[in-house]
């Protein structure tokens, strides 16, 4: 008797759960649908206010109809105050960057290659230090070197003088010290990451061949650290150009930077077109240097 059993033609039962079908349907959404929410948030939260600042910089108060004009730019660029603020900003930023590079390199060398108790704790503290606000460091310096700070108090207590000799915090040197103190860890962090990837066998070979510590640093460690130094220095330079809290909290009345000039023009003088012009100049400088920082960071792998 022939076998009359036919193969089953019943369609296989789908094992896709409702949750899985939902995930598949989400992945089939158009690409622009996923990009639209962050683009809207970016446009409303950043690009639109930035566009208003740029627009206001071309709108002098003398034009009641709101027409565009280059008058605010010509007036601001011709101002001695603006030129001095630009010069002061660049000098402080460059000086602080150089100081952070030198101090950060030395401190990172000690932490990475000189064994001492608590070295790992110090390295971890650097990560915590990066989260501190800049004005907090400035306040700490004021408690130590301010007019009524600990240093002046100790001096007057010992000598009996009416006041102490430490008044540099209200000068450009005080601002420079505060910026170097605050931004040095921003250089140390990429340096420590670069040093952790350095093959210690190179150091041992160099030492066995008779190279001293200075020569090892110059010929072995420094070439490996140059990309990290460039990345950290670029970041510090950008941050110093935009620093406002340190200059404000030191009370350095004779030190006017671009951010301070924006504050002065907008809040104290109510000259919004001039404030927007200075802000646009500051933005152009910052974006240019940040682009340089990204290029250097990408090449350094930091």
């Amino acid at each position: 008797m022939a076998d009359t059993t036919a193969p089953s033609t019943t369609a296989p039962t789908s094992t896709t759960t409702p949750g899985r079908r939902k995930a598949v349907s989400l992945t089939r959404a158009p690409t622009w649908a996923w990009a639209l929410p962050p683009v809207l948030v970016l446009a409303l939260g950043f690009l639109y206010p930035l566009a208003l600042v740029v627009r206001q910089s071309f709108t002098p108060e003398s034009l009641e109809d709101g027409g565009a004009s280059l008058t605010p730019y010509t007036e601001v660029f011709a101002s001695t105050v603006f030129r001095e603020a630009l010069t002061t900003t660049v000098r402080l930023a460059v000086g602080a960057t150089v100081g952070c590079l030198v101090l950060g390199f030395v401190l990172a060398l000690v932490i990475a290659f000189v064994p001492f108790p608590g070295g790992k704790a110090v390295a971890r503290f650097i990560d915590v230090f990066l989260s501190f606000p800049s004005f907090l460091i400035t306040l700490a310096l004021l408690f130590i070197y301010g007019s009524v700070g600990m240093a002046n108090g100790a001096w007057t207590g010992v000598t009996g003088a009416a006041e102490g000799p430490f008044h540099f915090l209200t000068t450009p040197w005080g601002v420079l010290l505060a910026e170097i103190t605050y931004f040095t860890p921003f250089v140390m962090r990429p340096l420590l990451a670069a040093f952790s990837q350095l093959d210690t066998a190179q150091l041992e070979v160099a030492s066995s061949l008779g190279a001293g510590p200075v020569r090892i640093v110059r010929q072995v460690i420094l070439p490996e650290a140059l990309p990290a130094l460039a990345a950290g220095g670029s970041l510090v330079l950008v941050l110093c150009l935009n620093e406002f809290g340190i200059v404000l909290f030191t009370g350095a009345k004779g030190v006017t930077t671009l951010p301070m000039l924006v504050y002065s023009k907008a809040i104290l003088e109510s000259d919004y077109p001039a404030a927007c012009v200075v802000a646009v100049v500051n933005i152009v400088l910052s974006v240019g240097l940040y682009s340089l920082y990204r290029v250097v960071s990408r090449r350094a792998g930091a």
Side-chain angles (χ1 to χ4, degrees), residues 6 14 33 51 115 152-153 190 245 252 280-281 283:
S14 175
N152 283 323
V280 169
V281 173
I283 290 171

Side-chain angles (χ1 to χ4, degrees), residues 20 34 39-40 65 80 86 104 126 152 158 170 172 178 197 200 210 247 280 291:
R20 184 177 179 84
W34 292 99
V39 169
L40 288 177
D65 57 353
T80 304
L86 180 60
I126 293 174
N152 283 323
V158 172
T170 57
Q197 300 176 1
T200 56
V247 183
V280 169
S291 301

Side-chain angles (χ1 to χ4, degrees), residues 222-249:
L222 184 58
E224 297 292 334
L226 284 178
L229 278 172
S234 301
L235 177 60
V236 170
L237 186 60
V238 172
L239 294 175
C240 289
L241 283 174
N242 297 280
E243 182 54 43
F244 174 77
I246 288 179
V247 183
L248 181 65
F249 275 81

Side-chain angles (χ1 to χ4, degrees), residues 39-60:
V39 169
L40 288 177
V41 172
L42 181 63
L44 295 177
F46 175 73
L47 296 180
Y48 179 66
L50 180 60
L52 291 180
V53 171
V54 176
R55 177 184 176 185
Q56 185 67 38
S57 68
F58 289 97
T59 308

Side-chain angles (χ1 to χ4, degrees), residues 41-276:
V41 172
L42 181 63
L44 295 177
F46 175 73
L47 296 180
Y48 179 66
L50 180 60
L52 291 180
V53 171
V54 176
R55 177 184 176 185
Q56 185 67 38
S57 68
F58 289 97
T59 308
E61 296 179 349
S62 58
L63 294 180
E64 298 180 357
D65 57 353
S69 174
L70 291 176
T71 302
Y73 282 88
T74 57
E75 292 179 351
V76 169
F77 290 168
S79 171
T80 304
V81 175
F82 169 77
R83 293 196 296 269
E84 291 178 352
L86 180 60
T87 303
T88 301
T89 302
V90 174
R91 285 180 176 176
L92 285 175
V94 173
T97 301
V98 173
C100 290
L101 288 174
V102 175
L103 182 60
F105 183 71
V106 173
L107 294 179
L109 276 177
V110 173
I111 294 175
F113 300 108
V114 180
F116 63 93
K120 294 183 178 180
V122 173
R124 287 194 294 268
F125 175 74
I126 293 174
D127 295 332
V128 179
F129 189 91
L130 296 178
S131 64
F132 289 171
S134 59
F135 69 85
L136 183 62
I137 306 303
T138 309
L139 285 178
L141 291 176
L142 286 174
F143 286 141
I144 299 175
Y145 300 109
S147 300
V148 292
M150 297 169 55
N152 283 323
W155 179 273
T156 56
V158 172
T159 64
E163 61 179 14
F166 303 104
H167 302 286
F168 63 89
L169 278 183
T170 57
T171 68
W173 294 106
V175 177
L176 190 64
L177 173 63
E179 290 187 347
I180 292 176
T181 303
Y182 178 70
F183 289 115
T184 293
F186 289 83
V187 174
M188 296 176 63
R189 183 65 268 172
L191 279 175
L192 290 175
F195 290 159
S196 65
Q197 300 176 1
L198 183 63
D199 188 4
T200 56
Q202 301 181 32
L203 307 181
E204 297 174 357
V205 170
S207 179
S208 64
L209 293 176
V214 176
R215 187 175 180 182
I216 292 176
V217 171
R218 186 178 68 252
Q219 296 185 355
V220 180
I221 298 178
L222 184 58
E224 297 292 334
L226 284 178
L229 278 172
S234 301
L235 177 60
V236 170
L237 186 60
V238 172
L239 294 175
C240 289
L241 283 174
N242 297 280
E243 182 54 43
F244 174 77
I246 288 179
V247 183
L248 181 65
F249 275 81
T250 53
K253 298 180 180 180
V255 179
T256 302
T257 59
L258 291 180
M260 287 295 297
L261 187 59
V262 173
Y263 173 81
S264 176
K265 291 293 184 181
I267 305 301
L268 302 181
E269 302 178 19
S270 298
D271 189 354
Y272 296 108
C276 291

